[in-house]
Amino acid sequence: MKRAKMAENSEGLGTVPEHERILQEIESTDTACVGPTLRSVYDDQPNAHKKFMEKLDACIRNHDKEIEKMCNFHHQGFVDAITELLKVRTDAEKLKVQVTDTNRRFQDAGKEVIIQTEDIIRCRIQQRNITTVVEKLQLCLPVLEMYSKLKEQMTAKRYYSALKTMEQLENVYFPRVSQYRFCQLMIENLPKLREDIKEISMSDLKDFLESIRKHSDKIGETAMKQILTVQDLVDFSPVYRCLHIYSVLGDEETFENYYRKQRKKQARLVLQPQSNMHETVDGYRRYFTQIVGFFVVEDHILHVTQGLVTRAYTDELWNMALSKIIAVLRAHSSYCTDPDLVLELKNLIVIFADTLQGYGFPVNRLFDLLFEIRDQYNETLLKKWAGVFRLEDNYSPIPIVNEEEYKAVISKFPFQDPDFEKQSFPKKFPMSQSVPHIYIQVKEFIYASLKFSESLHRSSTEIDDMLRKSTNLLLTRTLSSCLLNLIRKPHIGLTELVQIIINTTHLEQACKYLEDFITNITNISQETVHTTRLYGLSTFKDARHAAEGEIYTKLNQKIDEFVQLADYDWTMSEPDGRASGYLMDLINFLRSIFQVFTHLPGKVAQTACMSACQHLSTSLMQMLLDSELKQISMGAVQQFNLDVIQCELFASSEPVPGFQGDTLQLAFIDLRQLLDLFMVWDWSTYLADYGQPASKYLRVNPNTALTLLEKMKDTSKKNNIFAQFRKNDRDKQKLIETVVKQLRSLVNGMSQHT
């Protein structure tokens, strides 16, 4: 018990100083810090709170006792002070009344002085303010005057001067009055004015660019006609003004980039042609004038401004434009079918090139393009002349009755024939009316071709070469094609073909005069080494050969028409005793036709006659050997022989002069030997001499003889006439069978040998 009580006392002794410390902190510290202090009470050992409360109550009782002692000590002094104050109150009230009365009297006496003093003060303040205002106004007036001047310049659209005025305001005047609000407002307004000037000048530039875009064709047209300076046509002040303004504003690069960008866009628009430009010359003219107008303006800008455009820029722009121009012209000129339009285009290109060359732009590629267009021009000329050459001809020699008509023809065509000149009137030129027409049109073609060569800055030698080459194309392609097409037309008969051959002969002879005609134009001698020759000789020779071939073909066709009229009775027992009617009509036709051929060159007439006879012989032979013909009587063979005799008589009558001996009769030699073999029935000789060079029937083919003999054999069997004949007829039948066997053996042997 004692040990526990001692422990409790020792614990209590330990907590008393701690509680006193806490109470001192509570009394001495701020109330906001009491919380942590009180919390420490609860954090101590058990029963500490109770002990602290006891300690706190004891502390409170001590303080109450001290307060009571102090109040008791000072109470008598407080009572004495209150008593003294009560005594002084009456005197204080009297003093207050006296002070108030004195103050009122002073106030009344000083009112007038105060009023006068205030007036003096106010006047002095006003005087000082006026002096200050005058000083400040003298400082501000120049600023205001300059700013007013700026406004006037803006109103008068003198923007470059306005920018200079702004620089003076900023550098000289504004620093003097920068402390004033109006100055700040002005300073703040200047950037807006600058932007307004930029926008206005840019708007003027846009209007200028739009104007020259719309009127570039008029500018170019005037430049191409008069070669005036561009400043006579265009007011460039918007460009100069805008350039100066942007230069002053330090934004020159922006202006240059904008100008170049917009002009490149305009260049693309100018270079874009209308889709139907190729239809009229006005379309090409407008295209060229727009381009000239564009580059004339750029050239002026290059020379009167520094750096807005450079030579490198204009060269790049021109090269781009030139490539586009060439592509456009190459494409659109290919649609041109009118040579007059192509010629107008060429003239426009020459003027266009010469104009821009005068401004320093290279134009060699344009002249190279003209050589391409020259080929196009020649093609259109050739097509046009193809229609010109399609003249309806009467295919008859030109008749003349007097000297005037003779000279009229000679003036159109260089015909020279001394024998013809000696003939008396009336007489006829050998050629038809198409010959002078063709000759004149060839000369007109040369003139038309020459028009394109003008102003191309080419030498006479080159022009001469151009004319000769284009004329050769006319002769070898267009005229040759027209002649060949004419020759092959179905309605062209033999008489017309004969006249065509005569015409081509005279046209061929006239080619040397065309050579002289070109020489007189170009003054280039034909003896020059590199001079191109005209190909008229080959052209007309080819046409003549085609006409000759057509004569042979049509003549054979006519023979076929007559042969188709043949109506043989292949089973007749006896011949009629006279030649067939169709054959006599054919021979009469051939005689009349060959009479017309007397105007042809000898070889042509002879070839035609020989070809006709050979074709007639072949046709007659085919008639005998026709597979559809199954039987032939001896009477039919005899009738056929009469027709062949008439053919031979016709050949021997020399229907066309110039044949030697019996040359023409040899056309019927195959028929003659075959018919002789059957007429005389000389089979033993034929079989014995077959294959010998001196054989009497050398031209008779065993196959041919066998075919004809079998047709006669079949006729004998079918009619069974040999049973009624005499003994010699029966022997002949046996002979036929024997000969047939021998011929078959001969034919088989030939096949095996082959």
Side-chain angles (χ1 to χ4, degrees), residues 49-320:
H49 173 261
K50 181 178 178 181
K51 294 177 180 179
F52 174 76
M53 291 303 295
E54 293 173 354
K55 189 67 176 177
L56 180 62
D57 290 340
C59 183
I60 290 172
R61 287 191 299 270
N62 289 333
H63 283 299
D64 288 343
K65 290 177 180 180
E66 290 178 359
I67 291 172
E68 185 178 358
K69 287 179 182 181
M70 187 173 293
C71 287
N72 291 330
F73 179 78
H74 292 287
H75 177 71
Q76 187 60 43
F78 176 72
V79 172
D80 293 339
I82 293 300
T83 301
E84 288 295 326
L85 285 174
L86 290 175
K87 290 178 181 180
V88 176
R89 177 192 297 180
T90 303
D91 295 333
E93 288 178 353
K94 290 179 182 180
L95 180 61
K96 178 180 179 182
V97 171
Q98 291 176 357
V99 171
T100 302
D101 183 61
T102 303
N103 180 60
R104 179 180 56 76
R105 288 198 302 270
F106 271 113
Q107 290 291 337
D108 292 340
K111 280 183 180 179
E112 189 67 27
V113 177
I114 291 172
I115 292 172
Q116 293 179 359
T117 303
E118 288 178 351
D119 289 342
I120 292 173
I121 292 171
R122 185 165 54 251
C123 289
R124 288 183 177 178
I125 291 173
Q126 289 178 350
Q127 185 179 11
R128 185 176 68 250
N129 290 343
I130 289 171
T131 302
T132 302
V133 168
V134 170
E135 292 176 355
K136 299 303 181 182
L137 285 177
Q138 288 177 346
L139 187 64
C140 294
L141 275 177
V143 179
L144 297 173
E145 289 174 354
M146 288 297 290
Y147 197 81
S148 177
K149 179 181 177 182
L150 172 63
K151 288 294 185 180
E152 291 176 357
Q153 291 170 338
M154 291 290 292
T155 303
K157 298 183 178 181
R158 296 164 54 200
Y159 302 117
Y160 182 74
S161 299
L163 289 174
K164 290 297 184 181
T165 301
M166 289 183 194
E167 288 184 356
Q168 289 181 326
L169 284 170
E170 289 177 326
N171 297 329
V172 179
Y173 293 95
F174 283 166
R176 300 174 184 173
V177 293
S178 59
Q179 68 274 22
Y180 299 112
R181 186 168 179 271
F182 80 89
C183 180
Q184 295 300 320
L185 293 176
M186 290 180 179
I187 292 173
E188 293 173 359
N189 195 38
L190 289 187
K192 182 179 181 302
L193 291 176
R194 284 194 173 96
E195 288 300 320
D196 290 343
I197 291 174
K198 287 179 68 175
E199 291 178 1
I200 293 171
S201 62
M202 184 57 71
S203 177
D204 291 344
L205 176 65
K206 290 178 180 178
D207 293 341
F208 168 80
L209 293 176
E210 181 63 20
S211 176
I212 62 172
R213 186 190 69 81
K214 290 181 178 179
H215 299 95
S216 60
D217 56 339
K218 295 181 181 179
I219 298 170
E221 183 179 3
T222 306
M224 290 172 70
K225 288 181 179 179
Q226 306 176 18
I227 318 300
L228 296 175
T229 56
V230 71
Q231 58 264 30
D232 297 332
L233 308 173
V234 181
D235 178 17
F236 286 92
S237 58
V239 180
Y240 306 149
R241 185 163 54 246
C242 196
L243 177 60
H244 291 159
I245 288 170
Y246 273 76
S247 298
V248 170
L249 295 175
D251 204 8
E252 185 176 2
E253 184 177 355
T254 300
F255 173 74
E256 292 176 359
N257 293 336
Y258 176 82
Y259 177 85
R260 295 182 185 183
K261 181 180 179 181
Q262 293 302 314
R263 288 298 279 167
K264 284 184 178 179
K265 288 182 179 179
Q266 290 187 348
R268 296 188 187 97
L269 292 175
V270 166
L271 294 171
Q272 189 64 32
Q274 295 181 350
S275 58
N276 61 343
M277 182 179 73
H278 60 275
E279 296 178 359
T280 62
V281 68
D282 289 337
Y284 286 110
R285 182 179 291 109
R286 178 175 175 80
Y287 182 69
F288 286 126
T289 54
Q290 285 181 338
I291 297 173
V292 170
F294 178 90
F295 281 100
V296 164
V297 169
E298 289 305 287
D299 180 74
H300 179 76
I301 293 295
L302 171 67
H303 288 90
V304 300
T305 61
Q306 295 181 352
L308 180 54
V309 296
T310 62
R311 174 57 68 183
Y313 162 80
T314 56
D315 289 345
E316 178 188 358
L317 198 59
W318 169 245
N319 289 331
M320 180 274 291

Side-chain angles (χ1 to χ4, degrees), residues 621-630 707 711:
M621 181 68 79
Q622 290 175 350
M623 191 184 302
L624 279 178
L625 304 179
D626 189 359
S627 59
E628 295 183 0
L629 179 60
K630 303 300 182 183
T707 300
K711 292 178 185 292

Side-chain angles (χ1 to χ4, degrees), residues 602-614:
K603 291 184 179 180
V604 177
Q606 292 171 12
T607 303
C609 185
M610 177 60 76
S611 172
C613 291
Q614 289 176 342

